[in-house]
Amino acid sequence: MLTDHQISKLRRIYKMKDLTGDGKVNLDDFVMWGKKVAAISNLEYTEERQKHWEAACEAFFPDGIGNDVEAWMKHIGDFENVEGYLDIAANVNTTLFSCIDIDPKDGKISPEEFRAFVVPLGVTCEDDVKFAFEMIDKNKDGSLSVEELSYACARYYFDKEDSPCKHFYGKYDG
């Protein structure tokens, strides 16, 4: 069962990812997000990038479940009952990593790549972007590995109580 803390974080990120403003999160939002990431990075939004964002959308909102925030949150709550759910969720988050690791595709996410990823979601304060990046960068090497990003993102969704991972998408006081 989801805690009030989880529900607050999930409602927040759902609203952040609803880039079209229609009250739903679907492929249109992820495509818009991907195009904004490419534009911020001064890169072309290619067919390959489109495929990464499509895969991320399907991973996060399977079977169109993003059309209803309550159904999506129930899905997250039900998923917590699956054995090894955090590892499974981290694996799902590797699709997101492939969207962010864009120039060059070097298996690491730079601070600039992370910034391009969160700015379209409304995280525009540079201090908040830096704070989130540093929270995720567990080994403090100045870049994010697939493991660091994937597990921090999974913990954002599944930590039942307050934890540093609540800041994955920028500082959050909820």
Side-chain angles (χ1 to χ4, degrees), residues 21-41:
D22 64 0
K24 302 173 184 179
V25 178
N26 55 38
L27 184 57
D28 292 341
D29 297 294
F30 272 71
V31 167
M32 184 181 290
W33 188 8
K35 286 180 178 178
K36 288 181 177 192
V37 168
I40 290 168
S41 303

Side-chain angles (χ1 to χ4, degrees), residues 18 23 26 43 47 49 52 67 73 92 95 99 108 118 121 131:
D18 178 18
N26 55 38
L43 297 170
E47 195 172 306
R49 284 190 177 86
H52 289 297
N67 288 328
M73 288 193 307
V92 165
T95 62
C99 294
K108 297 183 270 184
V118 296
L121 298 175
F131 183 84

Side-chain angles (χ1 to χ4, degrees), residues 9-156:
K9 290 186 301 180
L10 292 174
R11 286 191 186 285
R12 173 185 185 241
I13 193 55
Y14 189 90
K15 184 176 181 181
M16 291 170 81
K17 288 182 179 179
D18 178 18
L19 297 179
T20 59
D22 64 0
K24 302 173 184 179
V25 178
N26 55 38
L27 184 57
D28 292 341
D29 297 294
F30 272 71
V31 167
M32 184 181 290
W33 188 8
K35 286 180 178 178
K36 288 181 177 192
V37 168
I40 290 168
S41 303
N42 294 314
L43 297 170
E44 181 182 350
Y45 187 73
T46 63
E47 195 172 306
E48 178 186 356
R49 284 190 177 86
Q50 171 88 15
K51 288 179 183 174
H52 289 297
W53 285 97
E54 288 172 358
C57 181
E58 180 58 30
F60 278 85
F61 298 98
D63 303 320
I65 200 163
N67 288 328
D68 178 0
V69 66
E70 299 300 326
W72 176 67
M73 288 193 307
K74 181 181 180 323
H75 171 76
I76 297 291
D78 291 347
F79 190 71
E80 287 182 324
N81 298 320
V82 175
E83 186 175 334
Y85 71 90
L86 197 58
D87 290 331
I88 295 167
N91 190 45
V92 165
N93 293 329
T94 61
T95 62
L96 197 58
F97 187 90
S98 67
C99 294
I100 307 168
D101 180 24
I102 55 177
D103 188 41
K105 277 208 169 291
D106 57 4
K108 297 183 270 184
I109 294 174
S110 69
E112 295 78 20
E113 288 171 320
F114 184 75
R115 180 187 172 284
F117 164 69
V118 296
V119 164
L121 298 175
V123 184
T124 56
C125 174
E126 292 299 325
D127 288 342
D128 287 359
V129 174
K130 182 179 179 194
F131 183 84
F133 184 90
E134 290 174 352
M135 180 275 306
I136 299 167
D137 185 16
K138 292 292 185 198
N139 66 6
K140 305 300 180 205
D141 69 351
S143 64
L144 305 179
S145 69
V146 67
E147 292 83 13
E148 288 172 321
L149 182 102
S150 297
Y151 275 93
C153 186
R155 295 205 41 222
Y156 175 88

